[in-house]
Amino acid sequence: MVKISTIKKSISLEYDVFARPTDLSAADQELYEIAAAALPESYSPYSRFQVAAAARLENGEVVSACNTENAAYPMCLCAERAALAAAASRQPTAKVVAMAITVKSPSQVLAEPASPCGACRQVLAEHEQRHGHRMRIILRAEVGPFYVLDSAADLLPLGFSSDFL
Ligand code: THU
């Protein structure tokens, strides 16, 4: 009889859950408030799903952006990538050290954070790798808890990176 040996591995994710905005650090609370204030600027006439992201640069400056949709649906731009692009156009070599992301659904009051799509996870993780710096991710829906992750890479276990090229 042939014995097949397998190795089972697991990857775990740790993140902090905070019940109230005041439980966050003052800087993270401010970042979340800037994202929440930007939500109405979302251009989302097709999905009506609003997303806003506020990115804090290394020097403390904050840049925010929203999702921008297009009648040719695949052209839709997510808020997270728009915020990274806005940060890079402000300061091409700037490290984004934290990003707050918030969402508003047209059909339900979301009480648990929505986390970034796969494409945004890839781009956020590469921003970290490129700059050799972790980006704290602060997630919140319209109401409910805040999830705070130490690093964008935590959102993309076994992700693809330039190390493979
Ligand atoms: N969206 C984002 O802005 N970020 C994400 O990570 C997920 C989805 C936007 C794209 C589209 O405008 C709308 O949300 C619905 O998918």
Side-chain angles (χ1 to χ4, degrees), residues 43-44 47 49 51 67-69 76-80 115-117 120:
Y43 177 69
S44 40
S47 73
F49 189 81
V51 186
N67 56 328
T68 303
E69 298 187 346
C76 290
L77 187 57
C78 290
E80 296 89 330
S115 58
C117 74
C120 287

Side-chain angles (χ1 to χ4, degrees), residues 4-6 10 16 20 23-24 46 62 82 100 119 133 137 147:
I4 301 169
S5 67
T6 59
S10 70
D16 291 312
R20 290 169 296 274
D23 295 335
L24 299 173
Y46 306 106
V62 174
H133 200 288
I137 302 289
Y147 294 174

Side-chain angles (χ1 to χ4, degrees), residues 60-126:
E61 207 180 325
V62 174
V63 179
S64 65
C66 293
N67 56 328
T68 303
E69 298 187 346
N70 195 276
Y73 294 167
M75 304 298 122
C76 290
L77 187 57
C78 290
E80 296 89 330
R81 279 177 282 159
L84 281 188
S89 72
R90 186 84 125 250
Q91 277 186 49
T93 58
K95 293 175 186 167
V96 172
V97 297
M99 183 178 285
I101 303 159
T102 186
V103 298
K104 185 172 176 0
S105 163
S107 56
Q108 54 180 321
V109 178
L110 291 173
E112 289 296 325
S115 58
C117 74
C120 287
R121 291 173 194 219
Q122 182 73 31
V123 174
L124 293 167
E126 182 151 344

